[in-house]
Amino acid sequence: TDEIMQQEIRPLVAVDIIEQLHRQFAILSGGRGKDGAPIITFPEFAGFSEIPDDDFLNVVTYLTSIPSLEAASIGFIIIIDRRRDKWSAVKASLTRIAGAFPGNLQLVFVLRPSRFIQRAIADIGIKLYRDDFKMKVPIIMLNSVSDLHGYIDKSQLTRELGGTLEYGHSQWIHHRTAIENFAMTVKSTAQMLQTFGTDLAETELPNDVQCTEELLSSHTDHHSKLKDELKLAVKQGATLLTCIREPVTRSANSKLSPDELENVATVERLLAQLDETEKAFDQFWTKHHLKLEQCLQLRHFEHDFREVKLTLDNLMETQAGFADIGDSVTRVENLLKEQKHLEEKGQEPLEKAQSLALHGEQLIQNNHYAVDSIRPKCVELRRICDDFTNETKKKYDILGKSLELHKQLDKASQWCEAGIYLLASQAVDKCQSQEGAETALVEIEKFLVTAKEHQLSNPKEFYNQFDMILTPEIKANAQRIVQKLEDVQEMFDKRQVSLKKLAAKQTRPVQPVAPHPESSPKRASPKITRPAAVENTSYHFQVKRRGPAAQNGNHALVQGLIEKCITKSQGHIINELIETERVYVEELQSIIEGYASEMDNPNLVHLIPSALQNKKEILFGNLPEIYYFHNRIFLKEIENCIENPELLARCFLKRKEDLQIYEKYCQNKPRSEALWRQCGDSIFFQECQRKLDHKLSLDAYLLKPVQRITKYQLLLKEMLKCSKNSEGTAELEEALATVLDIIKSVNDSMHQIAITGYEGDVSELGKLLMQGSFNVWTDHKKGHNKVKDLARFKPMQRHLFLYTKMLLFCKKREENTDGHEKTASYSFKNSLKMSTVGITENVKGDNKKFEIWYNGREEVYIIQASSVELKNTWISEIRKVLTGQLEACR
């Protein structure tokens, strides 16, 4: 294609001078001299001198441009046939050729006039005017064609010159026109293919199924039309080749002239170039067509994924709302039926999801170009399916336990009723005798044995078995029935004591007074007491219920980040940022109005635990300050970015200092969590949650600020992906670095507040630059040698805090907090002033170690990092501090 496109364009083609060529005052017959020089013949032409100079020059220029460069470089042989003309015609011809012939000349043959007088004049004239013609090549005057045959072989001369070379001027013009037309066709076809290829390469892949199908159809149609053009061009070339070779095909004795052979070579070369162009185009089209088909597959996959994901999300939402565990056997059985119906309803979308995930994996195995987009979706589909299956199993387990619990409670209640009925049915008159009392005792003992069948003899084990489903309502019902069991057991104990006394006495008969059959023994009202086991179970139950809520919150955040990682449009990211920012502001407002403000409500004061009194600032930290900043300032600023996404980075850069409020909030978070663990299960918070209709408890909402500052850096990373190598990329990178720096500062400050035992004020040590755990060896020159040797071979685990003024060495300690996750604290051990330290970058034998020395190497600390990268980062930061100090001194 490049060869065709870059060919030199000839100044003239046959069609441009077709009329002049038809006049036939000069021809290129195809003959050659003995050394291969092309022959141009000027036949007898009556009006040769009347031909305009432009026409003559165009024809001669065109004829000299046809032979190959190799043949043209030898030089042309010119034959001027003026046998029937006068010397004046010979002179005019030589003069015109000498003045306007554009090629190299080798010889000029002149067939002089045949008439005697004109021949004599010609002989004299050539001698007189030879120098006037200004030709640097010989001019040979010939008397006849037989003289010409002495110089040029007959096979290279036309019949007019006594030769055997077949030449038809009309056919020659036709061939030249056809060859040049075919060359233009090849060139224009190559240009069309190149233009189409460029358009294909620059085509952006659509984002929906319909547009992709339309693009694929459009490109395929265009490709088919171009292939048809190629076929026509090839057919044209083949036909032309057949026409040129026609004399040889017609007669085995015929031979093509050198010019005709060059024409054959030219057409064959053009056909070969056309074939190469077609092959290259087909290879490119194959790749492009495959990419379009894969794009269509991807768009179908993404469309199906969105539909299936929406169905699964609705299914999961329905399942999440299915929280009731029932308050009776009948209710639990109905809930089990509903759960079964939900499971059956979910089978079809689950099968679709599994099938779609399998289809996605097949696309990946087929080397699809969008593997990074398909694989997370497959993982997400399978995760949701697994979550639904696991949640369904959990629901069945909980409902199964609930059914078992209510059946046992019903059995216990029935047992109590049966026991009361038994006691009421024992006639007093029959129990007065020894035999009657013993019979009644046997009845009671047989009945009491059945209590073991209901596993109701140990209330503590009962609560431990069902603690995961003991809601306040069920717990109250269970307590009531357990209390009833204790009351009935007490009644039986008293009856047994009385009957045993009667059985032991030998009394005379007395007149019995039988009670009414429907009456029951009068018993004291039981004192409702809450067993200690119930209290403990209640506490642990509240803790376990709180855990999944927090996990659901985290799960929702992670799911949101994954869904937004595959978003590729800046507009979508801006919209997501604004929508989530609005939700975030609303959630902060609901916390402040629904919880913090309610702590000052006189109607709810009696519900607030004593441990929470006057500790609102500890529980909520600087949450009002965060809400004020986002509601009044930040939300409005990012809303202005909806039309101008490029302004987003400036919002974060402009508010870099304001966003530091999160550091204060996170520093207070451990105190807030400790207070929540102490008071989180109070009725006050339950009442506030009920009024707000929140599905999650307060502690989940108090995590929102921590999650939000993390969300910003994820959204900025997505924005940066969409804006790669475009305007505003540098600002986005700076904004992302700003948010990451804030997150690092927050993280570092969380560690900093856990430092214990340092007598000074940490805030006076300058900015906290780095913190991390290392192995540390110490060497004190003033100490005993044995101590030094021991210190060298036994590393200490130390957590280092690097400030601009001081380097602190602390020991990390982890402590359990009321059975919850471990919290770290850092016990202060030693400190070095940065103004008096030095650093050695490499310690022999270990590229992870570096050395800090103090007071002229009186104290040396060898520090080993977990990686070379971490070591280099610390060395770089320490050198910056030392360099800054040196520059300040200068």
Side-chain angles (χ1 to χ4, degrees), residues 585 588 592 622-635 661:
V585 169
L588 294 181
I592 293 170
N622 63 329
L623 198 67
E625 182 184 6
I626 294 175
Y627 167 71
Y628 180 89
F629 166 67
H630 283 272
N631 184 45
R632 297 289 184 88
I633 301 172
F634 201 60
L635 175 58
I661 56 178

Side-chain angles (χ1 to χ4, degrees), residues 49 153 167 257 367 609 714:
S49 60
D153 192 87
Y167 175 78
S257 69
N367 298 320
L714 295 172

